[in-house]
Amino acid sequence: YYHQSVEKAVVSTQSTGASRKPTSKIKLVLPEITEEEEEEDAPAVSEAGGLYNVPSGDLITQLYTSTGELLDLTYRAGRLYDSHDNIISTLYKYGDITYGEDGKLYDDEGHVITLLYRPDGTSYPINYENQPKNKKKKKIRKQPTRVKVTMSEVDPRKMAMRQLLEKHTLETVELEDQLNRKKIELVNKIISEAEEKKRVLKKDIQSQLREALKNATDTDDKSAIMMRYADLLDQKTGEIEEDKKRALREMMEKLADEIVQKKTALREKHLAEIDAAGLTEEVDAALPHLRHNIVPNRSKIAEDLEKLAKQQEILAAEMKKYLAEDQAR
C-alpha cells in the first residue's frame, strides 16, 4: 500500500553539435500552481488523530472486522474502540492487526494499513491525520515549467524495497480473501446440510403422523399420538443439531490449522525473498517487528471462526423465517 502522485516523465535527447554526444536527461513537466483564498470560510478539519477518508477528509466512524461485521468506532490514544469500549483487533481482509507507537494500524506482516475493505470487495484509502483548512482554496494553473531530475536523486534500494513490500502486501490480501471465502463456504455447507436433514425429517414425521391418526379411536387417542410424534420430532431434530455442532467444531479445528500453516508459509516466503534481494537491513530497519510475527495467533483464528459460524447460523435462521412468512402470505 503505497500511494503517491506520479508525474509524466519526458525523456529528451539534446545535441548541440557534431562534436558533442547526445545527452539523455529526465525532465518532469510540473505545472506551476498558485492558490487564492475565497472569502467564504470552509469548515475546519480536526488535527486530532483518527482514520480519515481520502480524499474527502471525513472522519471514519465505522469499519468491518475480519468476519464482515460492521462496527461503530472511536479513536482514542492511538487505538480503535467499538461501541462497547472494546479495542478492535481485526479488520476485514487483514485478520489480526496491531497498533504502532505512531498511532497507525499494521497488518500481521508489519505493513502500515492504508486501505480499508468492504465485504463487497470494494476498498477506500485512509489517512491517519488531517491538516486544518480554514479557507477554501482555488487553484490557478499557469504556464508549465520544466524541472530537471537526475537519476542520482532516486534511491534504487528504497525503490526495490517498496516494490517488494507492495508485492508482499498484495499476496497477503489475496490469501486472506481466499481463506475468508473458504471459511464461509465450509460453514454454510454444514449448516445447509443440517437444515436439509431437518426438512426431510419433518416431512417423514408428518407422513407417519397422518398414518397413525387414521387408527385413532377418539380425541384423546389423537392427542396422545400427536404428542408422541411431536416428541419424536424434537428428539431427532436435537440429534441433527448435535451432529451439526460436532461437524462445525471438527471443521474449524482443521481449518484453523490450515490457516496457520498457509499464513506462516507465506510469511516465511516473504522473509526469504527479502533476504534473497539483499534488502534485509533496510526492511528490518523500516519494519523491526516483522520477523517476530511469523506464526499467527491460532487461538484468535479459532475464535474468529466460531464467531463466523454463529453469524452464519443467525443469517440462515433469519432467511428460513423470512421464507416461511413469505410462503404463508
Side-chain angles (χ1 to χ4, degrees):
Y1 308 99
Y2 300 84
H3 300 272
Q4 61 179 13
S5 299
V6 181
E7 301 291 344
K8 293 183 178 178
V10 179
V11 180
S12 64
T13 302
Q14 297 179 341
S15 178
T16 56
S19 61
R20 296 184 59 184
K21 294 183 178 180
T23 308
S24 295
K25 296 183 180 180
I26 296 175
K27 296 184 178 181
L28 300 184
V29 181
L30 303 175
E32 185 178 338
I33 297 175
T34 61
E35 294 181 341
E36 293 182 358
E37 293 185 352
E38 294 181 348
E39 294 181 358
E40 180 184 358
D41 287 342
V45 181
S46 171
E47 289 182 316
L51 300 184
Y52 295 87
N53 194 297
V54 177
S56 68
D58 295 334
L59 184 67
I60 297 171
T61 58
Q62 289 184 318
L63 53 70
Y64 291 90
T65 65
S66 62
T67 58
E69 179 183 5
L70 181 62
L71 295 180
D72 295 327
L73 66 90
T74 56
Y75 187 94
R76 304 195 307 273
R79 299 291 185 272
L80 296 176
Y81 293 84
D82 62 20
S83 56
H84 301 291
D85 216 31
N86 298 315
I87 293 180
I88 296 173
S89 59
T90 67
L91 288 180
Y92 189 72
K93 280 212 176 187
Y94 293 101
D96 295 340
I97 61 169
T98 56
Y99 294 89
E101 294 181 0
D102 54 4
K104 296 180 179 179
L105 309 180
Y106 290 81
D107 63 19
D108 52 13
E109 289 250 327
H111 304 142
V112 176
I113 294 173
T114 56
L115 284 178
L116 291 181
Y117 289 86
R118 307 179 184 91
D120 63 3
T122 59
S123 63
Y124 51 99
I126 60 171
N127 274 337
Y128 290 89
E129 60 181 11
N130 261 3
Q131 298 301 320
K133 300 177 183 177
N134 293 321
K135 292 285 185 180
K136 288 184 178 178
K137 302 291 185 178
K138 181 169 63 178
K139 293 183 178 180
I140 302 175
R141 191 173 297 272
K142 294 187 176 181
Q143 290 297 321
T145 57
R146 294 179 181 269
V147 179
K148 297 178 182 179
V149 179
T150 63
M151 291 303 295
S152 61
E153 295 179 29
V154 180
D155 188 336
R157 295 186 66 79
K158 286 185 178 180
M159 178 69 72
M161 181 180 74
R162 187 189 71 184
Q163 291 174 343
L164 185 58
L165 292 180
E166 285 178 343
K167 171 181 172 289
H168 290 174
T169 300
L170 178 60
E171 291 176 350
T172 300
V173 171
E174 287 176 346
L175 176 62
E176 194 69 40
D177 188 49
Q178 171 193 335
L179 292 174
N180 281 336
R181 288 197 304 270
K182 186 169 185 178
K183 292 175 194 175
I184 295 174
E185 179 183 339
L186 292 177
V187 168
N188 285 346
K189 182 175 183 291
I190 293 174
I191 293 174
S192 297
E193 288 175 350
E195 290 302 314
E196 177 61 17
K197 288 179 181 178
K198 290 178 187 178
R199 187 191 67 78
V200 173
L201 171 66
K202 184 177 179 181
K203 184 177 180 180
D204 183 47
I205 293 293
Q206 287 174 339
S207 178
Q208 294 180 38
L209 175 60
R210 282 193 295 268
E211 288 299 318
L213 288 174
K214 291 178 181 179
N215 300 320
T217 56
D218 53 32
T219 304
D220 291 340
D221 193 18
K222 285 184 178 181
S223 296
I225 292 172
M226 292 176 68
M227 286 295 295
R228 186 166 70 250
Y229 278 94
D231 291 341
L232 179 61
L233 180 61
D234 288 342
Q235 176 193 338
K236 295 296 184 181
T237 300
E239 291 174 1
I240 293 173
E241 273 295 307
E242 288 302 315
D243 289 343
K244 180 188 73 176
K245 291 177 181 178
R246 182 166 51 254
L248 282 171
R249 284 196 301 271
E250 292 173 356
M251 179 275 294
M252 288 189 289
E253 283 294 315
K254 292 180 181 178
L255 187 55
D257 289 338
E258 180 183 342
I259 291 172
V260 170
Q261 184 271 325
K262 287 189 174 181
K263 285 190 173 184
T264 301
L266 183 61
R267 293 175 187 180
E268 289 175 344
K269 171 180 173 287
H270 289 170
L271 290 175
E273 289 179 354
I274 290 170
D275 295 340
L279 297 170
T280 305
E281 184 177 344
E282 287 83 355
V283 174
D284 286 351
L287 304 168
H289 54 290
L290 184 61
R291 294 180 185 272
H292 303 292
N293 294 319
I294 297 177
V295 180
N297 188 331
R298 190 189 185 284
S299 298
K300 187 68 173 62
I301 290 172
E303 181 183 337
D304 288 344
L305 283 172
E306 187 175 349
K307 288 180 181 178
L308 175 64
K310 289 179 180 178
Q311 289 175 351
Q312 294 304 113
E313 285 189 275
I314 291 172
L315 287 174
E318 290 177 348
M319 180 60 70
K320 183 179 178 181
K321 180 182 176 182
Y322 171 79
L323 292 174
E325 291 175 349
D326 187 59
Q327 189 174 10
R329 290 196 293 266

